[in-house]
Amino acid sequence: MSEEHEYGTSRRVFIAGAAVAAVAGVGLAASGTAAQGAALPLTPQCTDGHDTPPVIEGPYFRRNSPLRTNLRTTGVTGVLLSLTGFVYDIRCRPLANVLLDFWQADQRGEYDNTTSAYRGRGHQFTGKDGSYTLETIVPKDYPGRTPHIHVKVQAPGGPILTTQLYFPGTTRAYGMNVAQLNQRDAYYITQTVITLGTLTSNRYPAKFDFVVGV
Ligand code: FE
């Protein structure tokens, strides 16, 4: 790696190197030392040099979801979820016009796989400041799976990240034991757990920021 280069020309290479080292199990201690030596700023808060990890697509993705930020369409009821956040590149720069294509199960743990209503499905683009908002409901678990929201994320000209967002074990909805469901789910990862606020008037505010390659 090109860590001997001056900061300013090799920052991206440096971060990529740190990510590779971490993935390889080398750890970040050596990189941290290098960062201090080169007087680099602290690692930005949006990332520790890792982009958002992928999770399998699963069997229920459908192309051509409607353009919309509100998935609470007719027949969709349950515990409301207002999810907001930003999409950043690995250098913590907010990315505008990033495609976010969400799909999820409903309050019964069912996907709309056939109807033209595309219930629980919608795509949108981040704003100029890299932000997005999704008005939806907490999905129910279904056999073999803890509650989750699928998403594909693609910056203009970038690769497609396919992943799943998960819920904290403390989430209260539909009588689920989310802690136990998370523990038993083969695809659950902690890195894509959303941050939930306080349940008020049957609605959770929530936060999740994506970090993607471009
Ligand atoms: Fe699913």
Side-chain angles (χ1 to χ4, degrees):
M1 286 298 161
S2 306
E3 290 180 17
E4 70 276 18
H5 290 189
E6 292 297 305
Y7 171 62
T9 57
S10 66
R11 174 66 171 163
R12 181 175 178 86
V13 173
F14 172 75
I15 293 174
V20 168
V23 168
V26 175
L28 288 167
S31 304
T33 303
Q36 282 169 12
L40 292 176
L42 292 174
T43 303
Q45 205 172 11
C46 77
T47 174
D48 289 328
H50 301 270
D51 45 13
T52 304
V55 180
I56 61 157
E57 177 175 306
Y60 301 125
F61 176 68
R62 287 174 73 186
R63 294 187 182 283
N64 304 317
S65 71
L67 175 65
R68 62 187 174 198
T69 60
N70 191 338
L71 304 186
R72 294 179 205 136
T73 52
T74 306
V76 178
T77 60
V79 178
L80 308 184
L81 179 72
S82 299
L83 176 65
T84 62
F86 294 86
V87 180
Y88 298 106
D89 69 11
I90 202 164
R91 295 169 69 178
C92 287
R93 294 178 301 199
L95 295 170
N97 261 317
V98 177
L99 170 66
L100 294 160
D101 196 348
F102 294 100
W103 73 105
Q104 67 169 90
D106 65 12
Q107 68 276 15
R108 294 177 296 269
E110 294 172 358
Y111 289 89
D112 177 359
N113 294 318
T114 54
T115 83
S116 58
Y118 286 82
R119 271 187 306 106
R121 301 169 185 274
H123 75 273
Q124 61 176 286
F125 297 89
T126 56
K128 280 183 179 168
D129 61 352
S131 69
Y132 75 95
T133 299
L134 182 71
E135 297 292 349
T136 185
I137 62 164
V138 176
K140 193 176 181 300
D141 63 301
Y142 57 88
R145 293 308 317 276
T146 196
H148 58 279
I149 297 175
H150 296 269
V151 61
K152 286 179 180 285
V153 187
Q154 185 179 29
I160 298 173
L161 165 69
T162 302
T163 192
Q164 300 181 20
L165 303 181
Y166 295 108
F167 291 81
T170 51
T171 308
R172 301 184 68 85
Y174 323 124
M176 293 187 291
N177 183 339
V178 178
Q180 189 176 79
L181 288 164
N182 283 344
Q183 211 167 40
R184 294 178 177 176
D185 188 300
Y187 304 107
Y188 170 78
I189 54 173
T190 57
Q191 297 98 313
T192 57
V193 174
I194 64 176
T195 301
L196 278 191
T198 305
L199 182 64
T200 308
S201 303
N202 194 46
R203 175 184 158 276
Y204 274 117
K207 279 279 298 174
F208 188 80
D209 295 335
F210 296 91
V211 179
V212 300
V214 291

